[in-house]
Amino acid sequence: MLPLPTVGAGAASPVTAAGVAAPLRSRPLRLVATRAATTPSSPSASTSAISSASPAGHSRKHLSVRDGSPSKPTKPRVFFLDVNPLCFRGSQRSLGAFARWLALFFAHVSLRDPVVAVLDGEGGNEYRRRLLPSYKAHRARGVGTGADTRVVNVLRECNVPVVRVDGYEADDVVATLTEQVLQKGYRVVIASPDKDFKQLISDDVQLVMPIPEIGRWSFYTLRHYVAQYKCDPTADLSLRCFMGDETDGVPGIQHLVPGFGRKTAVKLLQKHGSLENLLNTAATRTVGKDYAQDALTKHADYLRKNYEVLSLKRDVSVQFDDNWLSTRNTSNDTNVLADFILKFNGQGRS
């Protein structure tokens, strides 16, 4: 497996404020609260989207090679920040954790690239819970279990648009907006610890994940996925239908067919492609050993239900605003983040 490239070396200095230890080894940049006024944007009525009041233009057009000559132009990036999981330290709700990850994200990852924050909408889990009652059954219901108005306010003050669509999880909103951004000729980077987003990885879609063990964000790309799973990300969703997702309460097929593991699933998917192609083929002819063939014919509906639950929706009623493509105005970051970190540093439940 390829090592994950951690963010920090060669980038901006880490953010520290009033007792927040810098997890990176480079020289720290201290956040000092000032009296500079913030310029929050006003919310949009339709999807609770808060538009950024930042100047026009994009943050990077060309990269330079070592001899100083310009390289080929690269596609500009748009970041989607999956807010809710960042508001927890383990299973404990923590605005201190969110404050720390947000400061590191702005200082080392997104820099001045456009950022759109996405929150779970009210009742976002209900669609999948109707299909599979065990889906996230161990988690409390409601938006209030993750981000709250304090989180929305600090994002607004840092000139980050915030999108929440009732009836949908943030994952579905991000997947829908990602498709729209790709059509505009941009690359997408999704900032989230949620492995559901691996089904979106491509040459133009990357993940950047918070790694608590080292206190850094790490990029996760197409190359990392192939090295880890030995298959293409297009098969990720189909593979997870077999393996399940214990975190989200989606059982795999192993409890029905103990001998059916990852190795068997990967081998079959490499040969037949998607889950649906594999199930359709197994319905008409033998595709593998007796236990695998029996599992595919007896439990086809089970696997299809898993697919429907785990698949990210791409048709949410939300539209990407071209104003969000502007270079993010970072002038408020130091003041806003210093105050936010100082208030919530060291707090667990808040």
Side-chain angles (χ1 to χ4, degrees):
M1 176 179 173
L2 294 173
L4 292 179
T6 53
V7 178
S13 302
V15 181
T16 62
V20 180
L24 309 182
R25 296 180 180 177
S26 53
R27 183 179 178 181
L29 169 66
R30 292 190 175 275
L31 291 176
V32 180
T34 67
R35 296 182 180 275
T38 59
T39 55
S41 307
S42 57
S44 166
S46 58
T47 62
S48 298
I50 303 167
S51 299
S52 168
S54 51
H58 304 304
S59 57
R60 59 169 56 83
K61 293 181 180 179
H62 299 273
L63 298 176
S64 294
V65 293
R66 291 184 178 180
D67 62 3
S69 60
S71 62
K72 293 182 180 180
T74 59
K75 294 180 181 179
R77 300 183 300 180
V78 173
F79 284 83
F80 288 107
L81 184 66
D82 183 20
V83 174
N84 288 80
L86 298 178
C87 296
F88 289 84
R89 181 179 287 112
S91 60
Q92 181 91 356
R93 187 170 180 272
S94 171
L95 288 187
F98 174 76
R100 179 169 169 273
W101 286 119
L102 184 66
L104 289 170
F105 178 74
F106 285 157
H108 299 293
V109 182
S110 65
L111 305 180
R112 298 190 69 212
D113 284 322
V115 178
V116 178
V118 185
L119 280 65
D120 289 335
E122 185 174 356
N125 290 342
E126 297 308 311
Y127 162 74
R128 291 181 172 90
R129 279 178 168 160
R130 286 194 296 270
L131 291 171
L132 186 66
S134 64
Y135 179 74
K136 295 185 178 180
H138 59 292
R139 302 186 190 182
R141 299 173 183 246
V143 177
T145 59
D148 61 19
T149 55
R150 291 170 291 183
V151 169
V152 172
N153 287 342
V154 75
L155 289 166
R156 179 193 294 121
E157 290 167 2
C158 289
N159 298 305
V160 174
V162 177
V163 180
R164 174 192 285 149
V165 183
D166 288 342
Y168 293 95
E169 295 184 78
D171 300 15
D172 298 317
V173 177
V174 170
T176 299
L177 292 176
T178 292
E179 293 289 322
Q180 297 175 18
V181 169
L182 293 176
Q183 291 175 11
K184 295 176 184 292
Y186 286 73
R187 290 182 294 149
V188 169
V189 183
I190 301 169
S192 175
D194 193 341
K195 60 183 173 293
D196 290 346
F197 287 119
K198 288 183 178 180
Q199 63 189 266
L200 301 180
I201 289 177
S202 69
D203 287 328
D204 288 327
V205 179
Q206 299 178 349
L207 308 184
V208 62
M209 304 180 294
I211 310 296
E213 294 79 8
I214 60 175
R216 301 186 188 185
W217 289 88
S218 290
F219 279 89
Y220 187 91
T221 68
L222 177 61
R223 290 178 60 208
H224 291 104
Y225 183 92
V226 173
Q228 181 177 6
Y229 294 107
K230 313 303 180 187
C231 63
D232 191 90
T234 56
D236 179 77
L237 179 58
S238 297
L239 179 61
R240 290 180 62 220
C241 292
F242 287 105
M243 306 313 299
D245 189 329
E246 183 178 350
T247 303
D248 286 347
V250 180
I253 201 172
Q254 296 90 339
H255 73 288
L256 299 174
V257 188
F260 203 120
R262 179 182 295 274
K263 184 177 179 180
T264 299
V266 169
K267 182 177 180 180
L268 290 169
L269 290 171
Q270 285 176 336
K271 183 176 181 180
H272 297 279
S274 68
L275 174 67
E276 190 61 29
N277 286 342
L278 175 58
L279 294 177
N280 288 338
T281 303
T284 58
R285 63 180 178 84
T286 301
V287 297
K289 295 182 179 180
D290 289 345
Y291 76 93
Q293 179 69 24
D294 189 56
L296 293 171
T297 53
K298 284 187 176 180
H299 305 298
D301 290 342
Y302 177 92
L303 292 168
R304 287 189 173 102
K305 179 179 287 187
N306 275 4
Y307 190 94
E308 191 171 1
V309 170
L310 293 170
S311 177
L312 298 184
K313 299 179 72 65
R314 319 289 178 93
D315 59 354
V316 177
S317 181
V318 61
Q319 189 64 42
F320 191 89
D321 189 335
D322 284 346
N323 290 326
W324 300 343
L325 296 174
S326 299
T327 300
R328 190 176 69 85
N329 183 343
T330 63
S331 60
N332 294 333
D333 287 7
T334 298
N335 182 56
V336 172
L337 293 176
D339 289 345
F340 196 66
I341 291 174
L342 180 62
K343 184 174 183 180
F344 295 109
N345 179 41
Q347 294 187 15
R349 187 179 301 277
S350 55

